[in-house]
Amino acid sequence: MAPPIQQLISSTALPSELKLIAEKVLNNERITFDEGVTLYYKGELGFVGTLANHIREQKHGNKTFFNRNFHIEPTNICVFDCKFCSYSRLLKQKEGSWELNEEQIMDIIKKYDGQPVTEVHIVGGVHPKMGLKYFADLIKKIKDHRPDLHVKAFTAVELEYMFRKAKMSYVEGLKYFKEYGLNSLPGGGAEIFDEEVRKQICEDKCTTAQWLEIHETAHKLGIPSNATMLYGHIEKFEHRVDHMNRLRTLQDKTKGFNTFIPLKFRNKDNQMSHISEVSVVEDLRNYAIARIFMDNVPHLKAYWPMIGRTTAQLSLSFGVDDIDGTIDDSTKIYTMAGSEEQSPALTTQQLVDLIKQVNRKPIERDTLYNVVQDYTNYQFDEVVPVR
Ligand code: V47
Ligand code: SF4
């Protein structure tokens, strides 16, 4: 029997514009902006899923990556006012806010001594008093304590604010952090690049141009990064394609993005709570179209603490090849916004089982996707320590 994608192409019922896209995917060709928009308006879940799964299996076979990481959120106090944010508090607003000092952060790091974690992910609110020097010293302390731990830290939003306050250019600031031990940047703060939509949902934080310039500068300095897209709120399909197109264009230039991470807008306790959340079908369609459109970004991540374990499992048939990490319950940005996972922690064994249940190969990776361990035939004969 012909592979599913060829069966699709030979189906007489398929509209010619979709057939053309399917042929491009089969021939490993890039789809255009307009074709991306067509997929959003006309591509049914089964159709986009078949194309995305073809690409996923061409790129990674059955492999599904995860890593052993933990998150530190130093504070949720933030000078900005993103309308979708359920997590931030103003400096003067004491209720529900937290600020960790250096000792408390180092205590979290030390909690993982002797545990085989490979990455710490540090992001938080943009605190007016926690500046560049504070965070550079913190990273150095972490690296002095545990040199092998990969430090993935600070969104472009946090960096833009710190560099502006320190009167440093992006090159100077990023070089400075790199010297202190910063290894890569997470993908947050991208939201939606369209300037009009951005103005409505997060007017006061770093602009699209600044976000892209910080990531471009990082890539040129040998600091890889991720990229996110916040979808399912007031944006139109065209805005999603525009967002991915700007990332794809930058990636052609720098090749510095490892992973694209679509983030579903969650509507609990924020200024956009009146907007309904999109369906699981839309989540899966979005992953699939992202996989088809972003042909030059190697990995597509479903961030399970936000989307939930079941959708994360499903997403592995819709283009996703990475389900992030073991994490722990210190990540609050989604739990406070109403995600399914109210206490997001999975042991390695649970993550491996989750992947195996849907017949994929669980591969533990480090931040840069070097294989740490292939768990396909691994037998857990005792309880493996969490994370
Ligand atoms: O930029 C905030 C999002 C992001 C909501 O690089 C919300 O590996 C949905 O970027 N509904 C920060 N999303 C988190 C982030 C991230 C997460 C996991 C992995 C990586 C990585 C990066 O969280 C923000 C924003 O887009 N966010 N509030 C909300 N209500
Ligand atoms: Fe601050 Fe980030 Fe929340 Fe925006 S999303 S208000 S920058 S913590």
Side-chain angles (χ1 to χ4, degrees), residues 84 152 186-189 191 226 230 261 264 266 301 303 334 337:
F84 52 81
K152 181 174 82 177
E191 322 312 357
N226 292 336
L230 183 72
I261 313 160
K264 173 194 185 122
R266 310 303 308 236
K301 186 191 283 188
Y303 186 55
Y334 294 110

Side-chain angles (χ1 to χ4, degrees), residues 87-150:
Y87 150 102
S88 67
R89 298 289 182 270
L90 295 169
L91 188 57
K92 57 180 188 246
Q93 209 180 345
K94 286 283 166 243
E95 205 192 318
S97 70
W98 71 85
E99 280 172 77
L100 302 182
N101 61 32
E102 193 181 272
E103 198 185 335
Q104 289 168 313
I105 294 176
M106 287 310 295
D107 283 346
I108 301 176
I109 298 282
K110 287 175 191 161
K111 222 173 77 185
Y112 293 89
D113 284 356
Q115 303 250 21
V117 290
T118 57
E119 174 193 288
V120 57
H121 178 159
I122 308 174
V123 286
V126 179
H127 194 294
K129 293 184 183 149
M130 288 178 175
L132 183 112
K133 181 83 178 83
Y134 171 79
F135 281 120
D137 287 343
L138 178 71
I139 293 179
K140 182 156 185 325
K141 274 226 156 84
I142 295 172
K143 290 300 242 191
D144 285 347
H145 181 75
R146 192 160 175 178
D148 59 318
L149 194 65
H150 181 110

Side-chain angles (χ1 to χ4, degrees), residues 166-188:
K167 298 193 172 34
M168 275 188 178
S169 69
Y170 299 162
V171 175
E172 288 165 346
L174 283 162
K175 269 192 180 159
Y176 182 79
F177 269 132
K178 191 178 178 191
E179 275 157 24
Y180 275 76
L182 178 76
N183 298 112
S184 69
L185 306 186

Side-chain angles (χ1 to χ4, degrees), residues 76 78 80-82 84-85 87-88 124-126 157 191 205 333:
N76 67 339
C78 189
F80 297 123
D81 179 31
C82 303
F84 52 81
C85 186
Y87 150 102
S88 67
V126 179
V157 175
E191 322 312 357
K205 74 180 178 189
I333 197 154

Side-chain angles (χ1 to χ4, degrees), residues 296-313:
N296 56 0
V297 176
H299 300 281
L300 180 66
K301 186 191 283 188
Y303 186 55
W304 70 262
M306 181 265 282
I307 202 98
R309 301 162 206 217
T310 315
T311 309
Q313 272 183 324

